């Protein structure tokens, strides 16, 4: 990590046992994902939209007119319901957030836990290019509830202004300027991510799912492994990827 340092006791907020700081990046996914789509299109990827009952159906969707040699299964949380995969180790880790207009001065504090409960956490992320500031959050294993809980929202906002008073200039929760409340279900998996190849009903499938709360951070590394596995299947020795 660039600029990594352990924080001395006098710099720690009250109730915090230990801490460190380092320089990092914050991705504004609302901008990053459409950019990625553009990169793929520029490099010749053809997009098709469909709801699949079985993973091998994807092989029949190739634009080439013939069955694809390999299917990459990146079905996230729904790997637990997709025919041919039905991975019972996959489960949701529910994350509730509050998106606000207040700015955090480029600091992004994250704590490893808090006193409000085992599945409640504290983080503040100011997104690039006017994307607002994310106040988190929760990590509720096994919860499929897609609706924001107002009580949880209040605890999230309270913790954020307590750990980061400059968010509202010391004026407390009331001075938060809320854009929206949201919930996402992280695709968690007992035993961790699944990146491996498997022949399912005669079709080669490379699995890449179960990234829980680090799917963006780990995406390049996992994608590199996916490319290696596809190369093994098709017997390619020289990389052809133009991405
Ligand atoms: C609150 C919250 C905070 C997070 N914070 C971070 C963070 O700080 N850093 C980080 O790196 N990650 C973070 N994540 C995690 C990150 O969002 C996920 O790890 C990542 O989105 C997983 O990507 P994926 O492509 O594997 O799955 P998804 O994004 O879920 O994509 C799976 C796709 O497969 C499609 N699909 C599934 N089944 C079928 C089917 N049968 N037919 C057709 N399509 C199908 C789905 O529609 C979906 O489009 C966070 C998540 C949440 C909820």
């Amino acid at each position: 990590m660039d600029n990594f340092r352990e924080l001395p006791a006098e710099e720690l907020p009250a109730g915090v046992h230990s801490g460190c700081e380092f320089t990092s990046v914050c991705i504004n996914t609302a901008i990053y994902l459409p950019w990625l789509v553009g990169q793929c299109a520029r490099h010749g990827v053809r997009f098709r939209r469909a709801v699949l009952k079985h993973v091998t159906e994807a092989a029949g969707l190739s634009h080439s007119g013939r069955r694809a040699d390999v299917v990459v299964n990146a079905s996230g949380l729904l790997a637990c319901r997709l025919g041919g995969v039905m991975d019972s180790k996959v489960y949701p880790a529910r994350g509730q957030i509050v998106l606000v207009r207040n700015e955090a001065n480029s600091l992004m504090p994250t704590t490893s836990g808090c006193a409000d409960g085992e599945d409640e956490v504290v983080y503040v992320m100011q997104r690039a290019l006017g994307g607002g500031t994310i106040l988190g959050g929760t990590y509720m294993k096994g919860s499929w509830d897609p609706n924001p809980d107002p009580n949880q929202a209040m605890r999230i906002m309270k913790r954020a202004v307590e750990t980061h008073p400059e968010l509202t200039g010391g004026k407390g929760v009331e001075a938060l300027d809320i854009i929206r409340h949201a919930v996402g279900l992280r695709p968690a998996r007992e035993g961790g991510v699944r990146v491996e190849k498997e022949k399912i009903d005669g079709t080669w499938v490379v699995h890449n799912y179960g990234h829980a709360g680090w799917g963006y951070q780990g995406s390049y590394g996992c994608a590199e492994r996916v490319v290696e596995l596809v190369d093994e299947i098709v017997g390619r020795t020289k990389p052809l990827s133009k991405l």
Side-chain angles (χ1 to χ4, degrees):
M1 304 290 181
D2 289 338
N3 304 314
F4 181 92
R5 80 180 174 103
E6 297 280 354
L7 295 179
E10 63 272 16
E11 286 186 38
L12 294 173
V16 173
H17 178 263
S18 60
C20 60
E21 70 172 21
F22 52 86
T23 301
S24 184
V25 293
C26 182
I27 298 172
N28 183 348
T29 56
I31 291 169
Y32 178 60
L33 289 175
W35 178 80
L36 275 185
V37 170
Q39 291 295 303
C40 290
R42 193 160 72 93
H43 289 90
V45 172
R46 307 277 184 90
F47 294 91
R48 302 280 300 271
R49 192 165 200 142
V51 176
L52 308 181
K53 288 198 167 61
H54 197 280
V55 66
T56 57
E57 283 171 39
L61 292 174
S62 169
H63 68 276
S64 67
R66 63 178 184 82
R67 243 185 120 66
D69 298 324
V70 189
V71 170
V72 176
N73 168 27
S75 53
L77 181 57
L78 291 180
C80 66
R81 294 187 183 160
L82 179 59
V85 183
M86 293 287 190
D87 189 336
S88 59
K89 292 182 182 163
V90 174
Y91 63 91
R94 180 180 175 280
Q96 180 167 328
I97 59 105
V98 184
L99 182 63
V100 298
R101 293 188 181 84
N102 308 66
E103 297 193 340
N105 301 334
S106 301
L107 287 172
M108 296 189 286
T110 304
T111 67
S112 58
C114 71
D116 284 339
E118 272 188 9
D119 46 17
E120 304 219 1
V121 289
V122 192
Y123 57 84
V124 175
M125 291 181 181
Q126 188 177 326
R127 302 197 298 190
L129 307 171
T133 303
I134 304 263
L135 312 182
T138 66
Y139 196 96
M140 301 173 70
K141 294 179 182 175
S143 171
W144 288 86
D145 185 357
N147 302 308
D149 172 339
N151 295 313
Q152 250 167 13
M154 184 47 77
R155 289 198 294 274
I156 288 169
M157 293 188 288
K158 201 165 160 283
R159 290 193 299 260
V161 295
E162 269 169 15
T163 55
H164 225 51
E166 63 271 28
L167 264 174
T168 56
K171 293 181 187 152
V173 176
E174 292 77 7
L176 283 174
D177 187 358
I178 300 170
I179 300 171
R180 65 188 166 91
H181 297 271
V183 168
L185 302 179
R186 303 174 182 90
R189 183 172 183 271
E190 281 166 39
V193 67
R194 184 176 184 205
V195 185
E196 62 184 11
K197 60 184 175 179
E198 181 187 15
K199 206 167 208 174
I200 301 174
D201 299 344
T203 299
W204 273 113
V205 175
V206 175
H207 299 289
N208 183 21
Y209 63 84
H211 304 79
W214 55 272
Y216 287 95
Q217 289 149 242
S219 57
Y220 278 83
C222 288
E224 279 178 10
R225 181 64 187 139
V226 167
V227 170
E228 283 173 9
L229 292 169
V230 171
D231 284 349
E232 280 173 30
I233 292 167
V234 300
R236 189 165 60 208
T237 47
K238 278 191 190 158
L240 292 180
S241 172
K242 289 180 276 180
L243 288 177

